[in-house]
Amino acid sequence: MRPRFFKRTFTDSYIMGKLNRYDAPAAKRFFKNVLTSPHNQSPREITVDKTPAYPAAVQQLKDEKVMNQETLLRQQKAAIFD
């Protein structure tokens, strides 16, 4: 049974599965591609694991105004995807 507060999305699954082993520039490229595609809305929050590359990448994107300043980055110790 999944916790109530966790909402599974394709983006979350892709981030958790593919970016765990990448560095900050790779995370930044990925987020930039996802956020600038025409069919996506701007997220209110992004949930990722505790890889240290994510906060740096998100902060750079906020500074470049690619991502909204109000977007929250939530880092969790582990997420369960069924």
Side-chain angles (χ1 to χ4, degrees):
M1 185 169 169
R2 229 179 309 166
R4 276 162 121 210
F5 61 86
F6 186 77
K7 182 179 178 183
R8 181 179 175 189
T9 64
F10 172 77
T11 304
D12 292 335
S13 299
Y14 189 84
I15 289 171
M16 295 297 292
K18 299 291 182 186
L19 284 180
N20 285 339
R21 62 185 183 275
Y22 294 161
D23 54 353
K28 181 180 172 185
R29 279 192 308 273
F30 173 76
F31 282 128
K32 194 175 218 178
N33 287 336
V34 169
L35 294 170
T36 57
S37 65
H39 62 278
N40 284 334
Q41 296 179 355
S42 183
R44 288 182 294 162
E45 65 182 33
I46 300 172
T47 304
V48 295
D49 64 357
K50 291 211 177 213
T51 302
Y54 297 127
V58 168
Q59 188 57 49
Q60 288 175 3
L61 290 172
K62 285 181 178 181
D63 293 342
E64 294 172 7
K65 306 220 187 298
V66 174
M67 184 182 292
N68 289 337
Q69 293 293 328
E70 295 83 29
T71 301
L72 299 174
L73 179 69
R74 293 180 52 206
Q75 288 187 294
Q76 294 184 347
K77 183 174 180 181
I80 300 171
F81 296 104
D82 10 300

